[in-house]
C-alpha cells in the first residue's frame, strides 16, 4: 500500500502513548502504528531523549520499530544527504542551517542566535561536510539536556520532508501549547496530540468504544495520577475561546461525535 502521509513522532508523544495501554502487550502507540497510509518517521534526537528517560520501555519499543523498518529514523546527516540530491553539497549545508534557524524561530525568538554560535561563524562558500557537522556537534553539545532540542530537530525534519516530498505532514506531538503552535507556524503541517489521536483512530481505524474503552480508562487513570481533571476544548469553530471540560466527559463526547480535531491538535465542539 502506498504511504502518502508523513507522520513524525516526538519524545513526549511516544512516551505517553506507550504508557496508555490495554495490557502489557497492547499500548496505544501500537494502535497509532496501524493508521493506514502513514510513513512514520522520527529524528535521531528522539532516540537520544527517550534513552535518557525510557519511561516504561518506550525506548525499546522505538528501537524495535526502527529495526523492523516501521519507523524511519533520520539523523542530521541523513537530512543533508536528502537535500544534497537536489541542491548539491554546499547548498544543502546552507539550506540545513536555514531550516534549523527557521525551526528555532518557531520554537522561540533568539534561540538560534543564542545557541548555534559555531554555525553562525561558517563561511558556506568554503566549508566541508565534516567541518559543518563538527560545528553542529559542538553547538548541540553546548545546549545540553531539557532544552527542547528534540522538538527543534523534528521541526527541521518536517521542513525537509515538505521540501523533498511535498506531501501532507503530520506531527504526533507534545501536549505543550507553545510547541504545537510553533509546529503549525512553519506551515503545511497538522498536529495530532495524545487527546486528538483518539479522534484520528476512531476516524481511520474503526477504533470504536468497545475497542477503545480500556485505553481510555488507562488514559484517565494517567490523568488522575498527574492531578489533571480537565482538558481544554475549543468552544466552537466560530470562536477560538477555550473551555475546561472534565476529562471523562471529553472522552465520552468524542464517541458521541460531538468533537472534531483542529490543526493544532486541540479538540473543538462541532
Amino acid at each position: 500500500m502506498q504511504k502518502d502521509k508523513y507522520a513524525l513522532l516526538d519524545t513526549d508523544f511516544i512516551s505517553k502513548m506507550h504508557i496508555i495501554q490495554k495490557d502489557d502487550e497492547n499500548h496505544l502507540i501500537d494502535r497509532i502504528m496501524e493508521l493506514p497510509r502513514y510513513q512514520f518517521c522520527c529524528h535521531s534526537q528522539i532516540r537520544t531523549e527517550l534513552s535518557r528517560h525510557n519511561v516504561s520501555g518506550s525506548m525499546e519499543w522505538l528501537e524495535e520499530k526502527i529495526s523492523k523498518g516501521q519507523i524511519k529514523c533520520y539523523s542530521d546527516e541523513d537530512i543533508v544527504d536528502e537535500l544534497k540530491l537536489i541542491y548539491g553539497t554546499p547548498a544543502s549545508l546552507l539550506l540545513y542551517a536555514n531550516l534549523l534557524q527557521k525551526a528555532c524561530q518557531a520554537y522561540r525568538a533568539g534561540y538560534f542566535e543564542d545557541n548555534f554560535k559555531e554555525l553562525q561563524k561558517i563561511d558556506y562558500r568554503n566549508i566541508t561536510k565534516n567541518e559543518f557537522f563538527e560545528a553542529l556537534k559542538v553547538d548541540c553539545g553546548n545546549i545540553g539536556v531539557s532544552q527542547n532540542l528534540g522538538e527543534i530537530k523534528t521541526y527541521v525534519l518536517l521542513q525537509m520532508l515538505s521540501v523533498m516530498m511535498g506531501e501532507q505532514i503530520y506531527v504526533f506531538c507534545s501536549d505543550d501549547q507553545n510547541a504545537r503552535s510553533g509546529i503549525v507556524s512553519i506551515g503545511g503541517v497538522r498536529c495530532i496530540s495524545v487527546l486528538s489521536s483518539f479522534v484520528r483512530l476512531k476516524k481511520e481505524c474503526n477504533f470504536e468504544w468497545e475497542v477503545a474503552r480500556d485505553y481510555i480508562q488507562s488514559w484517565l487513570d494517567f490523568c488522575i495520577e498527574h492531578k489533571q481533571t480537565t482538558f481544554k476544548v475549543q468552544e466552537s469553530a466560530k470562536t477560538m475561546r477555550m473551555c475546561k471540560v472534565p476529562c471523562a466527559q471529553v472522552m465520552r463526547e468524542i464517541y458521541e461525535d460531538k468533537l472534531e480535531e483542529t490543526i493544532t491538535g486541540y479538540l473543538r465542539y462541532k
Side-chain angles (χ1 to χ4, degrees):
M1 179 184 294
Q2 181 182 1
K3 308 287 188 180
D4 58 5
K5 302 174 185 176
Y6 287 83
L8 279 64
L9 301 169
D10 85 355
T11 307
D12 186 65
F13 186 87
I14 293 172
S15 179
K16 284 184 178 177
M17 295 292 276
H18 192 269
I19 289 170
I20 302 168
Q21 61 184 58
K22 177 180 179 180
D23 52 46
D24 291 343
E25 302 298 323
N26 290 278
H27 303 264
L28 191 55
I29 190 68
D30 294 312
R31 306 291 76 77
I32 289 293
M33 295 297 297
E34 293 169 357
L35 284 165
R37 303 183 71 169
Y38 286 76
Q39 173 63 61
F40 290 96
C41 312
C42 73
H43 192 281
S44 59
Q45 184 67 30
I46 304 304
R47 298 171 89 169
T48 300
E49 294 184 355
L50 277 178
S51 69
R52 292 187 186 127
H53 309 292
N54 196 22
V55 179
S56 66
S58 55
M59 178 60 187
E60 287 81 3
W61 178 90
L62 178 60
E63 291 297 332
E64 179 185 8
K65 297 302 179 184
I66 292 172
S67 68
K68 291 182 177 179
Q70 295 173 321
I71 296 175
K72 183 172 177 57
C73 183
Y74 289 86
S75 65
D76 293 314
E77 188 166 355
D78 292 331
I79 293 172
V80 167
D81 286 343
E82 290 286 344
L83 295 171
K84 186 173 68 176
L85 295 175
I86 295 179
Y87 300 101
T89 297
S92 66
L93 297 175
L94 177 59
L95 181 52
Y96 178 94
N98 289 338
L99 296 182
L100 178 61
Q101 185 171 12
K102 187 175 180 180
C104 291
Q105 182 64 31
Y107 174 68
R108 175 174 59 79
Y111 191 100
F112 182 83
E113 292 74 13
D114 293 342
N115 292 286
F116 290 95
K117 298 184 183 300
E118 294 301 315
L119 289 191
Q120 294 172 65
K121 297 176 184 177
I122 290 175
D123 178 359
Y124 286 92
R125 296 166 299 181
N126 184 30
I127 184 70
T128 67
K129 184 177 176 182
N130 286 341
E131 290 169 338
F132 174 84
F133 280 110
E134 185 59 36
L136 180 61
K137 181 179 179 181
V138 170
D139 282 337
C140 290
N142 289 335
I143 290 172
V145 301
S146 302
Q147 296 297 317
N148 300 92
L149 192 56
E151 290 179 1
I152 289 167
K153 293 294 184 74
T154 297
Y155 296 178
V156 174
L157 176 56
L158 74 86
Q159 290 178 87
M160 183 278 285
L161 290 172
S162 183
V163 168
M164 300 297 291
M165 309 300 181
E167 302 286 354
Q168 176 67 63
I169 310 294
Y170 296 85
V171 180
F172 289 82
C173 61
S174 165
D175 288 326
D176 180 78
Q177 180 178 354
N178 292 333
R180 287 193 254 167
S181 297
I183 291 169
V184 172
S185 73
I186 292 174
V189 183
R190 294 187 65 93
C191 292
I192 300 177
S193 65
V194 174
L195 184 56
S196 68
S197 68
F198 284 92
V199 176
R200 178 69 50 159
L201 286 166
K202 182 174 178 291
K203 184 190 305 181
E204 299 190 22
C205 281
N206 297 315
F207 198 61
E208 297 299 334
W209 180 262
E210 288 300 316
V211 179
R213 62 182 179 182
D214 289 336
Y215 296 99
I216 291 171
Q217 189 58 55
S218 177
W219 176 224
L220 293 176
D221 290 343
F222 177 87
C223 293
I224 291 170
E225 182 182 345
H226 290 81
K227 306 295 191 290
Q228 181 174 357
T229 58
T230 61
F231 295 128
K232 290 182 178 179
V233 179
Q234 190 174 324
E235 288 186 355
S236 72
K238 295 180 180 180
T239 175
M240 296 296 291
R241 191 165 54 239
M242 306 296 286
C243 57
K244 292 183 178 180
V245 183
C247 296
Q249 178 181 333
V250 172
M251 301 311 299
R252 183 175 68 253
E253 289 179 334
I254 288 174
Y255 285 86
E256 293 172 351
D257 290 324
K258 294 181 179 180
L259 295 163
E260 60 187 0
E261 301 170 85
T262 70
I263 192 172
T264 54
Y266 282 104
L267 299 182
R268 69 180 170 211
Y269 285 101
K270 296 181 179 180

